[in-house]
Amino acid sequence: MTTLKDLQTPALILDAGRLDRNLERMAAKARSLGVALRPHLKTSKCWDVARRQLTTPQGPATVSTLKEAEYFASHGVKDMIYAVGIAPAKLARVAAVNAQGADLKVIFDNEAAGRAISDFCERQGVRIRALLEIDCDGHRSGLRPESPELIEVAKSLRPGSGAELAGVLTHAGGSYNATSPEDIRRRAHEERDGVVRAAERLRAAGLPCPIVSVGSTPTATFGDNLEGVTELRCGVYAFFDLFMLGLGVCRQSDLALSVLVTVIGHQKEKNWVITDGGWMALSRDRGTASQKLDQGYGLVADISGEPVPEDLIVVSANQEHGIISSRDGSAFDLERYPVGTMLRIFPNHACPTAAQHPQYYVVDDGTEVRAVWPRIYGW
Amino acid sequence: MTTLKDLQTPALILDAGRLDRNLERMAAKARSLGVALRPHLKTSKCWDVARRQLTTPQGPATVSTLKEAEYFASHGVKDMIYAVGIAPAKLARVAAVNAQGADLKVIFDNEAAGRAISDFCERQGVRIRALLEIDCDGHRSGLRPESPELIEVAKSLRPGSGAELAGVLTHAGGSYNATSPEDIRRRAHEERDGVVRAAERLRAAGLPCPIVSVGSTPTATFGDNLEGVTELRCGVYAFFDLFMLGLGVCRQSDLALSVLVTVIGHQKEKNWVITDGGWMALSRDRGTASQKLDQGYGLVADISGEPVPEDLIVVSANQEHGIISSRDGSAFDLERYPVGTMLRIFPNHACPTAAQHPQYYVVDDGTEVRAVWPRIYGW
């Protein structure tokens, strides 16, 4: 039997019990809202996680890179949306995935991209379905629901070219800056209202709009009405992280992802415990720096995943060194953490932290390693 | 002929001409100071870079993980220092590398680690050389040169056990916070003085100290006296980055590493150009946020690597989206950057940015891709 004590550190630990509960909770939420769940697989980039997460082995699923699309297609996933505005030079890879039986959809928010999709389909004699990206909160890409260009851009997918309008999609990324559950609920309403309004405008102009897609983990958690919406996309809910905890979107006992590290030394006068878990293992993400409770580079737990009683965080990190100290700088008994002690660090943001590691070591509410799940990276 | 225009983005671009000039400059500096150069291979994690960088194919070299040690050993590198305080559970991997003919040295700064090395060597009948880590500026690990524990900790490597004291090592990581070249030079003197003082104390106590090792790219660049030091370690000088540019350690024309991205959309009223280069490709590193000139997530150049005339930076990033705008928020002609345009982003910090990518696409002052060099990751 392999346990966490047998692992070389740093190592990425996934608690499968917490994962399963997180997955079930969101699946139930989607069912209660009467929409399909199209999980975003960019958080895990791992088939072993995805197959637990998808409502059918064929999808629906969301991906953030074509590498993910190719990888998940190789595992039999068919219904996918590549949810980053398409660059024309990527269409050949999209077509190659679809040539193997998938229905990989792309998104776009401008006429140049729409024309490029149409031209490509016409030239290659292929069909590609595309969703129009809607900007529901001003945080990034997309057309505003009331944009005068909306219809014109949608029509840049030329009928008969092989390019087909598959619907509208939005992402309430602004919810990451919300200040309370009520604020998140308000943003969830804006997200729904915006994308449904865009769908109505397209339909009124005689255009098809079968898919109406929303999603972010915060708005999915607190949203209570998805009338007119057909599907929910979200990703980080599978693992959760300190940033979501700070937003009030999960509880500490939902945090499924941590990084196992080993104590390698101390600086006694400074109340520092030094570990081999630096930013290469934790990522450079400092998302909680903007929240009420700054968690440094991560919250310190013992090897079993229980936060240590001294309220320790990773106050600083170099490439392969983490410096642990108390949150308020007060002294604590360093001798409780001798050289060789293993600790688990809950990270700020699950997506970049997981991305630093080639695999997950899977436990289930304990320290026995029950499986090793590989993940992909790159583009 | 493959050119950058043929690549799928985001992609990591390495300018080999700049790399070679950076390598030669630091090699000349080490020669002029009369010390060996032991490059830190953690920046590139790539044999194709390392073989240009090492003074002999067998080393000396510095690594930050045992994965690097194993990888470079497989390419014939023998003389290596694993420059992160050793965790006792890692000694078996160190011994395995050495069993294949390498001389992989470890570092330690406490008695528990010293005893663990001695116990391991005695039990396994192997020899492991270890350097005592010295803290020259209070930024991280190591014993202060004047520490009362210095001799005692050194002696925790028990004579006859197979554990051998190989010398002292320090890293002036505090130089990353320096405010001027003069400040860096002062820190270079402190780095040298501290480690040489520790070496003298060990020798006065009858202990061996053949290696006296210093190094950081800033102190190596501005330092002018390494009397008593035997070797110089540094890493990021191979590629350089915006953080080093902000410190005055390199020129813009020395920046060898960039990330190729593609424009996927715009938000005209906000003067935003949206690309497919988010923090997954650039890393979450925001090091220049603490410098005089905040470069956001990176400085924008055209496909040939020439910074664009509008002084654009990546002002914000999501996982697979980068938002480009002017540094001062002023309007510029977005039509100069239509959908499909390829740009190159110079990153804040070469080490974490390179770590996000499976390979380097190598150019030489142009856009022709002359080689693809793989890199390793993980532990």
mmCIF file of all heavy atoms in Angstrom, chain A residues 134-162:
data_model
loop_
_atom_site.group_PDB
_atom_site.id
_atom_site.type_symbol
_atom_site.label_atom_id
_atom_site.label_comp_id
_atom_site.label_asym_id
_atom_site.label_seq_id
_atom_site.Cartn_x
_atom_site.Cartn_y
_atom_site.Cartn_z
ATOM 1 N N ILE A 134 -21.054 36.265 -25.963
ATOM 2 C CA ILE A 134 -21.743 37.438 -25.417
ATOM 3 C C ILE A 134 -21.025 37.917 -24.172
ATOM 4 O O ILE A 134 -20.595 37.112 -23.331
ATOM 5 C CB ILE A 134 -23.216 37.081 -25.076
ATOM 6 C CG1 ILE A 134 -23.935 36.511 -26.316
ATOM 7 C CG2 ILE A 134 -23.950 38.298 -24.510
ATOM 8 C CD1 ILE A 134 -23.964 37.439 -27.521
ATOM 9 N N ASP A 135 -20.885 39.219 -24.052
ATOM 10 C CA ASP A 135 -20.208 39.843 -22.916
ATOM 11 C C ASP A 135 -21.282 40.306 -21.929
ATOM 12 O O ASP A 135 -21.946 41.307 -22.155
ATOM 13 C CB ASP A 135 -19.384 41.024 -23.437
ATOM 14 C CG ASP A 135 -18.746 41.829 -22.325
ATOM 15 O OD1 ASP A 135 -18.719 41.351 -21.175
ATOM 16 O OD2 ASP A 135 -18.253 42.940 -22.626
ATOM 17 N N CYS A 136 -21.447 39.566 -20.828
ATOM 18 C CA CYS A 136 -22.538 39.893 -19.903
ATOM 19 C C CYS A 136 -22.130 40.858 -18.803
ATOM 20 O O CYS A 136 -22.974 41.384 -18.084
ATOM 21 C CB CYS A 136 -23.104 38.617 -19.286
ATOM 22 S SG CYS A 136 -21.900 37.711 -18.295
ATOM 23 N N ASP A 137 -20.802 41.086 -18.653
ATOM 24 C CA ASP A 137 -20.376 41.925 -17.520
ATOM 25 C C ASP A 137 -19.138 42.767 -17.787
ATOM 26 O O ASP A 137 -18.544 43.317 -16.853
ATOM 27 C CB ASP A 137 -20.171 41.059 -16.271
ATOM 28 C CG ASP A 137 -19.096 39.991 -16.473
ATOM 29 O OD1 ASP A 137 -18.433 39.996 -17.536
ATOM 30 O OD2 ASP A 137 -18.916 39.159 -15.571
ATOM 31 N N GLY A 138 -18.726 42.832 -19.037
ATOM 32 C CA GLY A 138 -17.615 43.725 -19.384
ATOM 33 C C GLY A 138 -16.243 43.255 -18.976
ATOM 34 O O GLY A 138 -15.285 44.017 -19.039
ATOM 35 N N HIS A 139 -16.127 41.979 -18.576
ATOM 36 C CA HIS A 139 -14.812 41.603 -18.036
ATOM 37 C C HIS A 139 -13.811 41.158 -19.080
ATOM 38 O O HIS A 139 -12.631 41.113 -18.783
ATOM 39 C CB HIS A 139 -14.963 40.553 -16.927
ATOM 40 C CG HIS A 139 -15.037 39.159 -17.441
ATOM 41 N ND1 HIS A 139 -16.145 38.655 -18.072
ATOM 42 C CD2 HIS A 139 -14.140 38.145 -17.437
ATOM 43 C CE1 HIS A 139 -15.921 37.393 -18.423
ATOM 44 N NE2 HIS A 139 -14.730 37.070 -18.049
ATOM 45 N N ARG A 140 -14.250 40.821 -20.296
ATOM 46 C CA ARG A 140 -13.281 40.255 -21.240
ATOM 47 C C ARG A 140 -13.793 40.353 -22.663
ATOM 48 O O ARG A 140 -13.963 41.428 -23.174
ATOM 49 C CB ARG A 140 -13.013 38.807 -20.842
ATOM 50 C CG ARG A 140 -11.884 38.155 -21.560
ATOM 51 C CD ARG A 140 -11.511 36.815 -20.938
ATOM 52 N NE ARG A 140 -12.498 35.756 -21.186
ATOM 53 C CZ ARG A 140 -12.554 34.594 -20.508
ATOM 54 N NH1 ARG A 140 -11.679 34.336 -19.564
ATOM 55 N NH2 ARG A 140 -13.468 33.683 -20.800
ATOM 56 N N SER A 141 -14.071 39.225 -23.285
ATOM 57 C CA SER A 141 -14.443 39.154 -24.698
ATOM 58 C C SER A 141 -15.953 39.207 -24.870
ATOM 59 O O SER A 141 -16.714 39.191 -23.906
ATOM 60 C CB SER A 141 -13.960 37.836 -25.297
ATOM 61 O OG SER A 141 -12.594 37.646 -25.069
ATOM 62 N N GLY A 142 -16.382 39.205 -26.126
ATOM 63 C CA GLY A 142 -17.795 39.056 -26.429
ATOM 64 C C GLY A 142 -18.465 40.354 -26.827
ATOM 65 O O GLY A 142 -17.973 41.447 -26.554
ATOM 66 N N LEU A 143 -19.637 40.196 -27.472
ATOM 67 C CA LEU A 143 -20.458 41.348 -27.833
ATOM 68 C C LEU A 143 -21.480 41.575 -26.731
ATOM 69 O O LEU A 143 -22.054 40.620 -26.199
ATOM 70 C CB LEU A 143 -21.207 41.053 -29.138
ATOM 71 C CG LEU A 143 -20.341 40.998 -30.389
ATOM 72 C CD1 LEU A 143 -21.096 40.298 -31.522
ATOM 73 C CD2 LEU A 143 -19.929 42.407 -30.805
ATOM 74 N N ARG A 144 -21.759 42.823 -26.436
ATOM 75 C CA ARG A 144 -22.815 43.123 -25.461
ATOM 76 C C ARG A 144 -24.167 42.670 -26.034
ATOM 77 O O ARG A 144 -24.378 42.728 -27.260
ATOM 78 C CB ARG A 144 -22.855 44.625 -25.158
ATOM 79 C CG ARG A 144 -21.567 45.183 -24.541
ATOM 80 C CD ARG A 144 -21.325 44.682 -23.152
ATOM 81 N NE ARG A 144 -22.358 45.148 -22.216
ATOM 82 C CZ ARG A 144 -22.404 44.791 -20.941
ATOM 83 N NH1 ARG A 144 -21.497 43.950 -20.437
ATOM 84 N NH2 ARG A 144 -23.356 45.249 -20.164
ATOM 85 N N PRO A 145 -25.079 42.212 -25.181
ATOM 86 C CA PRO A 145 -26.374 41.700 -25.692
ATOM 87 C C PRO A 145 -27.101 42.729 -26.554
ATOM 88 O O PRO A 145 -27.775 42.371 -27.518
ATOM 89 C CB PRO A 145 -27.168 41.427 -24.409
ATOM 90 C CG PRO A 145 -26.136 41.271 -23.331
ATOM 91 C CD PRO A 145 -24.968 42.121 -23.725
ATOM 92 N N GLU A 146 -26.941 44.009 -26.226
ATOM 93 C CA GLU A 146 -27.641 45.055 -26.975
ATOM 94 C C GLU A 146 -26.782 45.649 -28.095
ATOM 95 O O GLU A 146 -27.160 46.658 -28.722
ATOM 96 C CB GLU A 146 -28.094 46.158 -26.005
ATOM 97 C CG GLU A 146 -26.979 46.913 -25.301
ATOM 98 C CD GLU A 146 -26.366 46.178 -24.103
ATOM 99 O OE1 GLU A 146 -26.701 44.986 -23.865
ATOM 100 O OE2 GLU A 146 -25.512 46.789 -23.423
ATOM 101 N N SER A 147 -25.621 45.024 -28.370
ATOM 102 C CA SER A 147 -24.716 45.587 -29.380
ATOM 103 C C SER A 147 -25.398 45.724 -30.735
ATOM 104 O O SER A 147 -26.062 44.795 -31.213
ATOM 105 C CB SER A 147 -23.502 44.676 -29.535
ATOM 106 O OG SER A 147 -22.800 45.011 -30.711
ATOM 107 N N PRO A 148 -25.240 46.891 -31.396
ATOM 108 C CA PRO A 148 -25.810 47.058 -32.741
ATOM 109 C C PRO A 148 -25.200 46.083 -33.744
ATOM 110 O O PRO A 148 -25.810 45.784 -34.772
ATOM 111 C CB PRO A 148 -25.457 48.506 -33.119
ATOM 112 C CG PRO A 148 -24.761 49.108 -31.946
ATOM 113 C CD PRO A 148 -24.535 48.061 -30.909
ATOM 114 N N GLU A 149 -24.004 45.582 -33.451
ATOM 115 C CA GLU A 149 -23.321 44.665 -34.387
ATOM 116 C C GLU A 149 -23.786 43.228 -34.274
ATOM 117 O O GLU A 149 -23.379 42.378 -35.079
ATOM 118 C CB GLU A 149 -21.810 44.672 -34.124
ATOM 119 C CG GLU A 149 -21.106 45.995 -34.301
ATOM 120 C CD GLU A 149 -19.665 45.875 -33.817
ATOM 121 O OE1 GLU A 149 -18.871 45.221 -34.510
ATOM 122 O OE2 GLU A 149 -19.348 46.422 -32.733
ATOM 123 N N LEU A 150 -24.567 42.916 -33.246
ATOM 124 C CA LEU A 150 -24.847 41.509 -32.923
ATOM 125 C C LEU A 150 -25.317 40.690 -34.129
ATOM 126 O O LEU A 150 -24.758 39.630 -34.436
ATOM 127 C CB LEU A 150 -25.900 41.434 -31.799
ATOM 128 C CG LEU A 150 -26.151 40.041 -31.222
ATOM 129 C CD1 LEU A 150 -25.080 39.668 -30.207
ATOM 130 C CD2 LEU A 150 -27.531 39.988 -30.552
ATOM 131 N N ILE A 151 -26.332 41.198 -34.805
ATOM 132 C CA ILE A 151 -26.928 40.437 -35.914
ATOM 133 C C ILE A 151 -25.949 40.321 -37.081
ATOM 134 O O ILE A 151 -25.770 39.249 -37.673
ATOM 135 C CB ILE A 151 -28.249 41.101 -36.372
ATOM 136 C CG1 ILE A 151 -29.194 41.308 -35.174
ATOM 137 C CG2 ILE A 151 -28.911 40.290 -37.470
ATOM 138 C CD1 ILE A 151 -29.577 40.057 -34.433
ATOM 139 N N GLU A 152 -25.291 41.434 -37.342
ATOM 140 C CA GLU A 152 -24.329 41.484 -38.446
ATOM 141 C C GLU A 152 -23.203 40.463 -38.230
ATOM 142 O O GLU A 152 -22.797 39.751 -39.140
ATOM 143 C CB GLU A 152 -23.743 42.904 -38.452
ATOM 144 C CG GLU A 152 -23.234 43.399 -39.761
ATOM 145 C CD GLU A 152 -22.805 44.873 -39.600
ATOM 146 O OE1 GLU A 152 -23.119 45.479 -38.532
ATOM 147 O OE2 GLU A 152 -22.146 45.391 -40.506
ATOM 148 N N VAL A 153 -22.689 40.427 -36.997
ATOM 149 C CA VAL A 153 -21.602 39.476 -36.705
ATOM 150 C C VAL A 153 -22.121 38.043 -36.835
ATOM 151 O O VAL A 153 -21.454 37.183 -37.426
ATOM 152 C CB VAL A 153 -21.001 39.728 -35.304
ATOM 153 C CG1 VAL A 153 -20.005 38.625 -34.939
ATOM 154 C CG2 VAL A 153 -20.314 41.091 -35.243
ATOM 155 N N ALA A 154 -23.326 37.802 -36.302
ATOM 156 C CA ALA A 154 -23.891 36.442 -36.415
ATOM 157 C C ALA A 154 -24.032 36.042 -37.884
ATOM 158 O O ALA A 154 -23.763 34.891 -38.252
ATOM 159 C CB ALA A 154 -25.249 36.389 -35.719
ATOM 160 N N LYS A 155 -24.392 37.011 -38.717
ATOM 161 C CA LYS A 155 -24.585 36.701 -40.147
ATOM 162 C C LYS A 155 -23.275 36.535 -40.908
ATOM 163 O O LYS A 155 -23.286 36.144 -42.080
ATOM 164 C CB LYS A 155 -25.438 37.794 -40.798
ATOM 165 C CG LYS A 155 -26.898 37.696 -40.404
ATOM 166 C CD LYS A 155 -27.740 38.705 -41.166
ATOM 167 C CE LYS A 155 -29.228 38.459 -40.907
ATOM 168 N NZ LYS A 155 -30.068 39.564 -41.398
ATOM 169 N N SER A 156 -22.166 36.848 -40.264
ATOM 170 C CA SER A 156 -20.886 36.621 -40.946
ATOM 171 C C SER A 156 -20.608 35.121 -41.075
ATOM 172 O O SER A 156 -19.710 34.709 -41.811
ATOM 173 C CB SER A 156 -19.738 37.341 -40.222
ATOM 174 O OG SER A 156 -19.512 36.794 -38.940
ATOM 175 N N LEU A 157 -21.363 34.290 -40.347
ATOM 176 C CA LEU A 157 -21.388 32.850 -40.658
ATOM 177 C C LEU A 157 -22.330 32.694 -41.837
ATOM 178 O O LEU A 157 -23.547 32.781 -41.690
ATOM 179 C CB LEU A 157 -21.921 32.050 -39.470
ATOM 180 C CG LEU A 157 -21.086 31.968 -38.209
ATOM 181 C CD1 LEU A 157 -21.741 31.006 -37.221
ATOM 182 C CD2 LEU A 157 -19.652 31.534 -38.483
ATOM 183 N N ARG A 158 -21.792 32.491 -43.024
ATOM 184 C CA ARG A 158 -22.611 32.504 -44.239
ATOM 185 C C ARG A 158 -23.420 31.222 -44.398
ATOM 186 O O ARG A 158 -22.845 30.122 -44.419
ATOM 187 C CB ARG A 158 -21.724 32.671 -45.471
ATOM 188 C CG ARG A 158 -21.145 34.060 -45.640
ATOM 189 C CD ARG A 158 -20.565 34.239 -47.046
ATOM 190 N NE ARG A 158 -19.601 33.201 -47.384
ATOM 191 C CZ ARG A 158 -18.307 33.256 -47.048
ATOM 192 N NH1 ARG A 158 -17.837 34.284 -46.341
ATOM 193 N NH2 ARG A 158 -17.487 32.290 -47.403
ATOM 194 N N PRO A 159 -24.717 31.349 -44.551
ATOM 195 C CA PRO A 159 -25.559 30.167 -44.794
ATOM 196 C C PRO A 159 -25.048 29.405 -46.014
ATOM 197 O O PRO A 159 -24.666 30.023 -47.013
ATOM 198 C CB PRO A 159 -26.945 30.760 -45.053
ATOM 199 C CG PRO A 159 -26.910 32.122 -44.441
ATOM 200 C CD PRO A 159 -25.500 32.598 -44.552
ATOM 201 N N GLY A 160 -24.994 28.087 -45.880
ATOM 202 C CA GLY A 160 -24.551 27.276 -47.018
ATOM 203 C C GLY A 160 -23.056 27.075 -47.089
ATOM 204 O O GLY A 160 -22.560 26.248 -47.853
ATOM 205 N N SER A 161 -22.311 27.820 -46.265
ATOM 206 C CA SER A 161 -20.850 27.685 -46.305
ATOM 207 C C SER A 161 -20.374 26.441 -45.565
ATOM 208 O O SER A 161 -19.252 25.979 -45.755
ATOM 209 C CB SER A 161 -20.195 28.920 -45.678
ATOM 210 O OG SER A 161 -20.487 28.968 -44.279
ATOM 211 N N GLY A 162 -21.243 25.935 -44.690
ATOM 212 C CA GLY A 162 -20.805 24.844 -43.794
ATOM 213 C C GLY A 162 -20.631 25.351 -42.374
ATOM 214 O O GLY A 162 -20.651 24.578 -41.418
#
